[in-house]
PDB file of all heavy atoms in Angstrom:
ATOM      1  N   GLY A   1      17.060  17.851 -17.311  1.00  0.00           N
ATOM      2  CA  GLY A   1      17.243  19.167 -16.720  1.00  0.00           C
ATOM      3  C   GLY A   1      17.961  19.180 -15.392  1.00  0.00           C
ATOM      4  O   GLY A   1      18.233  20.247 -14.833  1.00  0.00           O
ATOM      5  N   GLY A   2      18.262  18.007 -14.852  1.00  0.00           N
ATOM      6  CA  GLY A   2      18.989  17.966 -13.594  1.00  0.00           C
ATOM      7  C   GLY A   2      20.438  18.397 -13.777  1.00  0.00           C
ATOM      8  O   GLY A   2      20.912  18.588 -14.896  1.00  0.00           O
ATOM      9  N   GLY A   3      21.122  18.548 -12.648  1.00  0.00           N
ATOM     10  CA  GLY A   3      22.521  18.926 -12.715  1.00  0.00           C
ATOM     11  C   GLY A   3      23.022  19.426 -11.383  1.00  0.00           C
ATOM     12  O   GLY A   3      22.375  19.231 -10.350  1.00  0.00           O
ATOM     13  N   LEU A   4      24.185  20.058 -11.429  1.00  0.00           N
ATOM     14  CA  LEU A   4      24.832  20.615 -10.241  1.00  0.00           C
ATOM     15  C   LEU A   4      24.626  22.124 -10.249  1.00  0.00           C
ATOM     16  O   LEU A   4      24.896  22.791 -11.252  1.00  0.00           O
ATOM     17  CB  LEU A   4      26.316  20.277 -10.260  1.00  0.00           C
ATOM     18  CG  LEU A   4      27.187  20.916  -9.173  1.00  0.00           C
ATOM     19  CD1 LEU A   4      26.766  20.418  -7.797  1.00  0.00           C
ATOM     20  CD2 LEU A   4      28.661  20.607  -9.434  1.00  0.00           C
ATOM     21  N   VAL A   5      24.159  22.652  -9.123  1.00  0.00           N
ATOM     22  CA  VAL A   5      23.904  24.074  -9.005  1.00  0.00           C
ATOM     23  C   VAL A   5      24.272  24.531  -7.608  1.00  0.00           C
ATOM     24  O   VAL A   5      24.207  23.731  -6.661  1.00  0.00           O
ATOM     25  CB  VAL A   5      22.425  24.388  -9.330  1.00  0.00           C
ATOM     26  CG1 VAL A   5      21.492  23.744  -8.322  1.00  0.00           C
ATOM     27  CG2 VAL A   5      22.158  25.863  -9.442  1.00  0.00           C
ATOM     28  N   GLN A   6      24.666  25.775  -7.480  1.00  0.00           N
ATOM     29  CA  GLN A   6      24.979  26.321  -6.165  1.00  0.00           C
ATOM     30  C   GLN A   6      23.704  26.681  -5.422  1.00  0.00           C
ATOM     31  O   GLN A   6      22.655  26.949  -6.036  1.00  0.00           O
ATOM     32  CB  GLN A   6      25.859  27.561  -6.310  1.00  0.00           C
ATOM     33  CG  GLN A   6      27.281  27.271  -6.751  1.00  0.00           C
ATOM     34  CD  GLN A   6      28.184  28.484  -6.677  1.00  0.00           C
ATOM     35  OE1 GLN A   6      27.725  29.613  -6.818  1.00  0.00           O
ATOM     36  NE2 GLN A   6      29.465  28.256  -6.461  1.00  0.00           N
ATOM     37  N   ALA A   7      23.793  26.683  -4.128  1.00  0.00           N
ATOM     38  CA  ALA A   7      22.658  27.090  -3.306  1.00  0.00           C
ATOM     39  C   ALA A   7      22.194  28.481  -3.721  1.00  0.00           C
ATOM     40  O   ALA A   7      23.007  29.370  -3.986  1.00  0.00           O
ATOM     41  CB  ALA A   7      23.053  27.085  -1.829  1.00  0.00           C
ATOM     42  N   GLY A   8      20.872  28.625  -3.799  1.00  0.00           N
ATOM     43  CA  GLY A   8      20.291  29.877  -4.267  1.00  0.00           C
ATOM     44  C   GLY A   8      20.005  29.893  -5.747  1.00  0.00           C
ATOM     45  O   GLY A   8      19.312  30.808  -6.233  1.00  0.00           O
ATOM     46  N   GLY A   9      20.531  28.922  -6.467  1.00  0.00           N
ATOM     47  CA  GLY A   9      20.349  28.870  -7.907  1.00  0.00           C
ATOM     48  C   GLY A   9      19.026  28.235  -8.306  1.00  0.00           C
ATOM     49  O   GLY A   9      18.177  27.916  -7.461  1.00  0.00           O
ATOM     50  N   SER A  10      18.873  28.065  -9.618  1.00  0.00           N
ATOM     51  CA  SER A  10      17.627  27.539 -10.169  1.00  0.00           C
ATOM     52  C   SER A  10      17.903  26.435 -11.185  1.00  0.00           C
ATOM     53  O   SER A  10      18.954  26.415 -11.834  1.00  0.00           O
ATOM     54  CB  SER A  10      16.843  28.663 -10.878  1.00  0.00           C
ATOM     55  OG  SER A  10      16.483  29.680  -9.992  1.00  0.00           O
ATOM     56  N   LEU A  11      16.949  25.553 -11.309  1.00  0.00           N
ATOM     57  CA  LEU A  11      16.939  24.530 -12.348  1.00  0.00           C
ATOM     58  C   LEU A  11      15.508  24.341 -12.803  1.00  0.00           C
ATOM     59  O   LEU A  11      14.566  24.538 -12.026  1.00  0.00           O
ATOM     60  CB  LEU A  11      17.483  23.199 -11.838  1.00  0.00           C
ATOM     61  CG  LEU A  11      18.982  23.037 -11.646  1.00  0.00           C
ATOM     62  CD1 LEU A  11      19.279  21.696 -10.977  1.00  0.00           C
ATOM     63  CD2 LEU A  11      19.727  23.146 -12.965  1.00  0.00           C
ATOM     64  N   ARG A  12      15.360  23.920 -14.052  1.00  0.00           N
ATOM     65  CA  ARG A  12      14.039  23.573 -14.569  1.00  0.00           C
ATOM     66  C   ARG A  12      14.076  22.137 -15.076  1.00  0.00           C
ATOM     67  O   ARG A  12      14.802  21.828 -16.018  1.00  0.00           O
ATOM     68  CB  ARG A  12      13.637  24.497 -15.707  1.00  0.00           C
ATOM     69  CG  ARG A  12      12.181  24.306 -16.145  1.00  0.00           C
ATOM     70  CD  ARG A  12      11.929  25.003 -17.457  1.00  0.00           C
ATOM     71  NE  ARG A  12      10.499  25.154 -17.736  1.00  0.00           N
ATOM     72  CZ  ARG A  12      10.005  25.302 -18.952  1.00  0.00           C
ATOM     73  NH1 ARG A  12      10.803  25.311 -19.996  1.00  0.00           N
ATOM     74  NH2 ARG A  12       8.694  25.448 -19.126  1.00  0.00           N
ATOM     75  N   LEU A  13      13.296  21.287 -14.421  1.00  0.00           N
ATOM     76  CA  LEU A  13      13.199  19.897 -14.838  1.00  0.00           C
ATOM     77  C   LEU A  13      12.056  19.739 -15.831  1.00  0.00           C
ATOM     78  O   LEU A  13      11.025  20.402 -15.722  1.00  0.00           O
ATOM     79  CB  LEU A  13      12.967  18.988 -13.639  1.00  0.00           C
ATOM     80  CG  LEU A  13      13.963  19.086 -12.486  1.00  0.00           C
ATOM     81  CD1 LEU A  13      13.624  18.040 -11.430  1.00  0.00           C
ATOM     82  CD2 LEU A  13      15.385  18.939 -12.966  1.00  0.00           C
ATOM     83  N   SER A  14      12.255  18.845 -16.780  1.00  0.00           N
ATOM     84  CA  SER A  14      11.214  18.493 -17.738  1.00  0.00           C
ATOM     85  C   SER A  14      10.947  17.001 -17.668  1.00  0.00           C
ATOM     86  O   SER A  14      11.843  16.215 -17.365  1.00  0.00           O
ATOM     87  CB  SER A  14      11.639  18.860 -19.161  1.00  0.00           C
ATOM     88  OG  SER A  14      11.860  20.240 -19.296  1.00  0.00           O
ATOM     89  N   CYS A  15       9.722  16.633 -17.962  1.00  0.00           N
ATOM     90  CA  CYS A  15       9.334  15.222 -18.023  1.00  0.00           C
ATOM     91  C   CYS A  15       8.528  15.035 -19.294  1.00  0.00           C
ATOM     92  O   CYS A  15       7.395  15.510 -19.389  1.00  0.00           O
ATOM     93  CB  CYS A  15       8.518  14.841 -16.805  1.00  0.00           C
ATOM     94  SG  CYS A  15       7.775  13.195 -16.902  1.00  0.00           S
ATOM     95  N   ALA A  16       9.127  14.370 -20.258  1.00  0.00           N
ATOM     96  CA  ALA A  16       8.472  14.135 -21.540  1.00  0.00           C
ATOM     97  C   ALA A  16       7.870  12.739 -21.563  1.00  0.00           C
ATOM     98  O   ALA A  16       8.561  11.755 -21.292  1.00  0.00           O
ATOM     99  CB  ALA A  16       9.466  14.294 -22.675  1.00  0.00           C
ATOM    100  N   ALA A  17       6.599  12.678 -21.902  1.00  0.00           N
ATOM    101  CA  ALA A  17       5.899  11.396 -21.974  1.00  0.00           C
ATOM    102  C   ALA A  17       5.788  10.945 -23.421  1.00  0.00           C
ATOM    103  O   ALA A  17       5.587  11.761 -24.320  1.00  0.00           O
ATOM    104  CB  ALA A  17       4.516  11.520 -21.355  1.00  0.00           C
ATOM    105  N   SER A  18       5.910   9.658 -23.615  1.00  0.00           N
ATOM    106  CA  SER A  18       5.721   9.086 -24.945  1.00  0.00           C
ATOM    107  C   SER A  18       5.015   7.745 -24.815  1.00  0.00           C
ATOM    108  O   SER A  18       4.971   7.150 -23.747  1.00  0.00           O
ATOM    109  CB  SER A  18       7.066   8.908 -25.646  1.00  0.00           C
ATOM    110  OG  SER A  18       7.881   8.014 -24.930  1.00  0.00           O
ATOM    111  N   GLY A  19       4.427   7.307 -25.896  1.00  0.00           N
ATOM    112  CA  GLY A  19       3.735   6.025 -25.893  1.00  0.00           C
ATOM    113  C   GLY A  19       2.246   6.147 -25.628  1.00  0.00           C
ATOM    114  O   GLY A  19       1.474   5.250 -25.970  1.00  0.00           O
ATOM    115  N   ARG A  20       1.841   7.197 -24.980  1.00  0.00           N
ATOM    116  CA  ARG A  20       0.435   7.501 -24.764  1.00  0.00           C
ATOM    117  C   ARG A  20       0.354   8.938 -24.275  1.00  0.00           C
ATOM    118  O   ARG A  20       1.336   9.512 -23.829  1.00  0.00           O
ATOM    119  CB  ARG A  20      -0.227   6.551 -23.768  1.00  0.00           C
ATOM    120  CG  ARG A  20       0.275   6.673 -22.362  1.00  0.00           C
ATOM    121  CD  ARG A  20      -0.678   6.015 -21.374  1.00  0.00           C
ATOM    122  NE  ARG A  20      -1.903   6.784 -21.227  1.00  0.00           N
ATOM    123  CZ  ARG A  20      -3.002   6.298 -20.682  1.00  0.00           C
ATOM    124  NH1 ARG A  20      -3.056   5.050 -20.280  1.00  0.00           N
ATOM    125  NH2 ARG A  20      -4.078   7.067 -20.559  1.00  0.00           N
ATOM    126  N   THR A  21      -0.829   9.493 -24.345  1.00  0.00           N
ATOM    127  CA  THR A  21      -1.013  10.850 -23.844  1.00  0.00           C
ATOM    128  C   THR A  21      -1.468  10.820 -22.389  1.00  0.00           C
ATOM    129  O   THR A  21      -2.228   9.937 -21.981  1.00  0.00           O
ATOM    130  CB  THR A  21      -2.035  11.624 -24.690  1.00  0.00           C
ATOM    131  OG1 THR A  21      -2.189  12.934 -24.125  1.00  0.00           O
ATOM    132  CG2 THR A  21      -3.386  10.928 -24.697  1.00  0.00           C
ATOM    133  N   PHE A  22      -0.956  11.754 -21.616  1.00  0.00           N
ATOM    134  CA  PHE A  22      -1.376  11.883 -20.228  1.00  0.00           C
ATOM    135  C   PHE A  22      -2.136  13.180 -20.013  1.00  0.00           C
ATOM    136  O   PHE A  22      -2.258  13.654 -18.888  1.00  0.00           O
ATOM    137  CB  PHE A  22      -0.147  11.836 -19.313  1.00  0.00           C
ATOM    138  CG  PHE A  22       0.506  10.486 -19.276  1.00  0.00           C
ATOM    139  CD1 PHE A  22       1.653  10.221 -20.007  1.00  0.00           C
ATOM    140  CD2 PHE A  22      -0.033   9.457 -18.530  1.00  0.00           C
ATOM    141  CE1 PHE A  22       2.252   8.982 -19.991  1.00  0.00           C
ATOM    142  CE2 PHE A  22       0.547   8.215 -18.491  1.00  0.00           C
ATOM    143  CZ  PHE A  22       1.698   7.972 -19.229  1.00  0.00           C
ATOM    144  N   SER A  23      -2.653  13.749 -21.075  1.00  0.00           N
ATOM    145  CA  SER A  23      -3.300  15.053 -20.979  1.00  0.00           C
ATOM    146  C   SER A  23      -4.567  15.027 -20.128  1.00  0.00           C
ATOM    147  O   SER A  23      -5.037  16.074 -19.694  1.00  0.00           O
ATOM    148  CB  SER A  23      -3.611  15.589 -22.376  1.00  0.00           C
ATOM    149  OG  SER A  23      -4.475  14.703 -23.067  1.00  0.00           O
ATOM    150  N   SER A  24      -5.123  13.853 -19.892  1.00  0.00           N
ATOM    151  CA  SER A  24      -6.331  13.747 -19.071  1.00  0.00           C
ATOM    152  C   SER A  24      -6.033  13.302 -17.651  1.00  0.00           C
ATOM    153  O   SER A  24      -6.969  13.020 -16.890  1.00  0.00           O
ATOM    154  CB  SER A  24      -7.312  12.755 -19.710  1.00  0.00           C
ATOM    155  OG  SER A  24      -7.698  13.171 -20.998  1.00  0.00           O
ATOM    156  N   HIS A  25      -4.770  13.242 -17.294  1.00  0.00           N
ATOM    157  CA  HIS A  25      -4.384  12.641 -16.016  1.00  0.00           C
ATOM    158  C   HIS A  25      -3.480  13.541 -15.188  1.00  0.00           C
ATOM    159  O   HIS A  25      -2.740  14.364 -15.723  1.00  0.00           O
ATOM    160  CB  HIS A  25      -3.669  11.320 -16.263  1.00  0.00           C
ATOM    161  CG  HIS A  25      -4.501  10.340 -17.017  1.00  0.00           C
ATOM    162  ND1 HIS A  25      -5.606   9.730 -16.468  1.00  0.00           N
ATOM    163  CD2 HIS A  25      -4.406   9.889 -18.295  1.00  0.00           C
ATOM    164  CE1 HIS A  25      -6.151   8.927 -17.363  1.00  0.00           C
ATOM    165  NE2 HIS A  25      -5.454   9.008 -18.475  1.00  0.00           N
ATOM    166  N   ALA A  26      -3.558  13.356 -13.894  1.00  0.00           N
ATOM    167  CA  ALA A  26      -2.677  14.078 -12.988  1.00  0.00           C
ATOM    168  C   ALA A  26      -1.248  13.575 -13.114  1.00  0.00           C
ATOM    169  O   ALA A  26      -1.002  12.403 -13.431  1.00  0.00           O
ATOM    170  CB  ALA A  26      -3.163  13.912 -11.553  1.00  0.00           C
ATOM    171  N   MET A  27      -0.323  14.492 -12.874  1.00  0.00           N
ATOM    172  CA  MET A  27       1.101  14.163 -12.909  1.00  0.00           C
ATOM    173  C   MET A  27       1.748  14.663 -11.629  1.00  0.00           C
ATOM    174  O   MET A  27       1.255  15.607 -10.997  1.00  0.00           O
ATOM    175  CB  MET A  27       1.777  14.827 -14.114  1.00  0.00           C
ATOM    176  CG  MET A  27       1.170  14.471 -15.455  1.00  0.00           C
ATOM    177  SD  MET A  27       1.564  12.806 -15.989  1.00  0.00           S
ATOM    178  CE  MET A  27       3.324  12.951 -16.327  1.00  0.00           C
ATOM    179  N   GLY A  28       2.853  14.038 -11.271  1.00  0.00           N
ATOM    180  CA  GLY A  28       3.525  14.452 -10.052  1.00  0.00           C
ATOM    181  C   GLY A  28       5.036  14.371 -10.148  1.00  0.00           C
ATOM    182  O   GLY A  28       5.577  13.722 -11.047  1.00  0.00           O
ATOM    183  N   TRP A  29       5.684  15.059  -9.232  1.00  0.00           N
ATOM    184  CA  TRP A  29       7.131  14.977  -9.058  1.00  0.00           C
ATOM    185  C   TRP A  29       7.414  14.481  -7.644  1.00  0.00           C
ATOM    186  O   TRP A  29       6.795  14.953  -6.674  1.00  0.00           O
ATOM    187  CB  TRP A  29       7.793  16.337  -9.254  1.00  0.00           C
ATOM    188  CG  TRP A  29       7.886  16.792 -10.668  1.00  0.00           C
ATOM    189  CD1 TRP A  29       7.026  17.619 -11.330  1.00  0.00           C
ATOM    190  CD2 TRP A  29       8.918  16.469 -11.612  1.00  0.00           C
ATOM    191  NE1 TRP A  29       7.450  17.815 -12.623  1.00  0.00           N
ATOM    192  CE2 TRP A  29       8.601  17.116 -12.818  1.00  0.00           C
ATOM    193  CE3 TRP A  29      10.072  15.684 -11.564  1.00  0.00           C
ATOM    194  CZ2 TRP A  29       9.403  17.015 -13.962  1.00  0.00           C
ATOM    195  CZ3 TRP A  29      10.858  15.581 -12.700  1.00  0.00           C
ATOM    196  CH2 TRP A  29      10.526  16.247 -13.878  1.00  0.00           C
ATOM    197  N   PHE A  30       8.332  13.553  -7.552  1.00  0.00           N
ATOM    198  CA  PHE A  30       8.798  13.033  -6.277  1.00  0.00           C
ATOM    199  C   PHE A  30      10.321  13.103  -6.268  1.00  0.00           C
ATOM    200  O   PHE A  30      10.941  13.283  -7.319  1.00  0.00           O
ATOM    201  CB  PHE A  30       8.338  11.583  -6.083  1.00  0.00           C
ATOM    202  CG  PHE A  30       6.852  11.450  -5.904  1.00  0.00           C
ATOM    203  CD1 PHE A  30       5.987  11.538  -6.981  1.00  0.00           C
ATOM    204  CD2 PHE A  30       6.310  11.232  -4.641  1.00  0.00           C
ATOM    205  CE1 PHE A  30       4.615  11.440  -6.811  1.00  0.00           C
ATOM    206  CE2 PHE A  30       4.940  11.118  -4.457  1.00  0.00           C
ATOM    207  CZ  PHE A  30       4.093  11.221  -5.554  1.00  0.00           C
ATOM    208  N   ARG A  31      10.913  12.938  -5.102  1.00  0.00           N
ATOM    209  CA  ARG A  31      12.374  12.928  -5.029  1.00  0.00           C
ATOM    210  C   ARG A  31      12.825  11.938  -3.959  1.00  0.00           C
ATOM    211  O   ARG A  31      12.075  11.619  -3.024  1.00  0.00           O
ATOM    212  CB  ARG A  31      12.923  14.315  -4.734  1.00  0.00           C
ATOM    213  CG  ARG A  31      12.576  14.869  -3.361  1.00  0.00           C
ATOM    214  CD  ARG A  31      13.042  16.315  -3.235  1.00  0.00           C
ATOM    215  NE  ARG A  31      12.765  16.862  -1.918  1.00  0.00           N
ATOM    216  CZ  ARG A  31      12.957  18.130  -1.586  1.00  0.00           C
ATOM    217  NH1 ARG A  31      13.439  19.011  -2.494  1.00  0.00           N
ATOM    218  NH2 ARG A  31      12.702  18.554  -0.355  1.00  0.00           N
ATOM    219  N   GLN A  32      14.051  11.467  -4.138  1.00  0.00           N
ATOM    220  CA  GLN A  32      14.631  10.550  -3.173  1.00  0.00           C
ATOM    221  C   GLN A  32      16.092  10.907  -2.958  1.00  0.00           C
ATOM    222  O   GLN A  32      16.898  10.865  -3.898  1.00  0.00           O
ATOM    223  CB  GLN A  32      14.498   9.099  -3.638  1.00  0.00           C
ATOM    224  CG  GLN A  32      14.932   8.094  -2.597  1.00  0.00           C
ATOM    225  CD  GLN A  32      14.497   6.688  -2.929  1.00  0.00           C
ATOM    226  OE1 GLN A  32      14.155   6.364  -4.072  1.00  0.00           O
ATOM    227  NE2 GLN A  32      14.461   5.830  -1.932  1.00  0.00           N
ATOM    228  N   ALA A  33      16.410  11.251  -1.726  1.00  0.00           N
ATOM    229  CA  ALA A  33      17.787  11.555  -1.353  1.00  0.00           C
ATOM    230  C   ALA A  33      18.461  10.283  -0.850  1.00  0.00           C
ATOM    231  O   ALA A  33      17.775   9.351  -0.404  1.00  0.00           O
ATOM    232  CB  ALA A  33      17.799  12.631  -0.275  1.00  0.00           C
TER     233      ALA A  33
END
């Protein structure tokens, strides 16, 4: 879901998990510039 957008715009990121379920666990988003 990442990409190039102008200031003021919107994006929706998705994170799909596979190999095990994380439905019982906390999840987070981090970023690095």
Side-chain angles (χ1 to χ4, degrees):
L4 173 64
V5 64
Q6 289 189 331
S10 298
L11 284 173
R12 188 193 195 204
L13 306 184
S14 299
C15 171
S18 62
R20 67 163 289 164
T21 179
F22 291 101
S23 60
S24 300
H25 301 290
M27 303 286 291
W29 285 96
F30 292 77
R31 66 186 182 186
Q32 187 166 18

